[in-house]
Amino acid sequence: HTVGKRALEYLVKDRGLTKETIDEFQLGYSPDDPLIFKKFLVDKKKFDPRDLEKYGIAVVRGPNVYDRFGGRVIFPLFDHRGNPIGFAGRILPWGRPNSAKYINSPETPVYHKSKVLYGLNLTRQNIKNKKIAIVVEGELDAISSYQAGIKNIVAIKGSALTEDQVRLLSRFADKFILALDSDMAGDAAARRGIIVADKLGIEVKV
């Protein structure tokens, strides 16, 4: 679509993703136009705005219904069985200068950040086959690695590997390799992740 053309160019030219990878991870773009959102989901599809807000998709202000992710590249979030449970949105380089780079779905009845591992719906069989899971920070780290042939990979949301995530991932592998950012937050996350995984009997490398 013409509205998403620049977002597609960003993913292909700036981030080096192929069209096949974009399709496999079901990446998209949410137009920076709240009227489109309301016209399509509320007026045409007859969604109740309160449900859209409950599940973290919209922000309702009186009669107005605003897209929480407007103007962002969209990363759909799935549970390990492939059920869609939420979204992450990344602002584009030319987007609103004072906006957060990433926003995620808030905690909802179906999305709990501490229990989700990005990409596991696509990579769990590869992780199971290799018995090793590589853990990175962020969607694009996982997607780029996957495209480069590292298929036994997942990403954590934020910088903490939680006990719930470790328990989930341990169903598919008994060895984790943490490839987190080398800044202070990444270092602290790695240390926390080692402690959590070690308590549950998982072999960890960094």
Side-chain angles (χ1 to χ4, degrees):
H1 195 284
T2 51
V3 172
K5 189 176 179 183
R6 286 187 75 193
L8 179 61
E9 286 177 355
Y10 164 75
L11 290 174
V12 173
K13 293 180 180 176
D14 294 9
R15 305 308 302 230
L17 301 185
T18 65
K19 298 280 185 70
E20 292 75 20
T21 298
I22 290 167
D23 286 343
E24 192 164 8
F25 284 87
Q26 300 182 51
L27 307 186
Y29 173 68
S30 193
D32 197 7
D33 182 348
L35 294 179
I36 292 175
F37 187 81
K38 182 177 182 296
K39 282 178 184 175
F40 183 72
L41 282 182
V42 179
D43 299 342
K44 185 177 180 182
K45 295 295 184 180
K46 305 304 179 188
F47 277 93
D48 186 329
R50 290 169 298 181
D51 286 337
L52 297 177
E53 187 167 50
K54 179 180 179 181
Y55 286 92
I57 300 167
V59 177
V60 178
R61 295 284 182 269
N64 298 314
V65 182
Y66 300 106
D67 176 5
R68 178 184 292 274
F69 299 96
R72 294 173 182 270
V73 169
I74 300 298
F75 301 85
L77 307 177
F78 300 89
D79 66 16
H80 66 285
R81 296 185 182 90
N83 300 306
I85 55 174
F87 300 95
R90 189 196 192 284
I91 202 75
L92 291 160
W94 57 85
R96 302 172 205 165
N98 297 321
S99 296
K101 185 190 282 188
Y102 279 96
I103 59 170
N104 298 294
S105 290
E107 294 283 312
T108 72
V110 295
Y111 174 68
H112 305 285
K113 182 171 115 172
S114 65
K115 298 182 179 181
V116 176
L117 289 161
Y118 181 77
L120 186 59
N121 58 305
L122 296 177
T123 65
R124 63 178 185 167
Q125 194 56 52
N126 292 296
I127 291 170
K128 203 170 184 179
N129 292 344
K130 289 182 177 290
K131 298 183 173 60
I132 299 172
I134 299 170
V135 181
V136 297
E137 277 182 58
E139 292 86 3
L140 282 168
D141 285 352
I143 294 170
S144 299
S145 300
Y146 184 92
Q147 181 175 282
I150 302 168
K151 307 284 189 180
N152 56 324
I153 195 161
V154 293
I156 53 177
K157 304 294 296 170
S159 59
L161 183 62
T162 68
E163 186 171 330
D164 284 332
Q165 290 167 336
V166 170
R167 288 187 185 280
L168 174 60
L169 201 51
S170 69
R171 289 161 55 180
F172 308 102
D174 53 15
K175 182 177 179 180
F176 298 172
I177 298 174
L178 305 183
L180 306 176
D181 292 354
S182 58
D183 56 17
M184 286 182 66
D187 181 68
R191 291 170 188 272
R192 287 194 301 272
I194 290 166
I195 293 167
V196 171
D198 186 59
K199 282 181 181 176
L200 295 172
I202 304 296
E203 182 184 347
V204 182
K205 292 190 174 183
V206 178

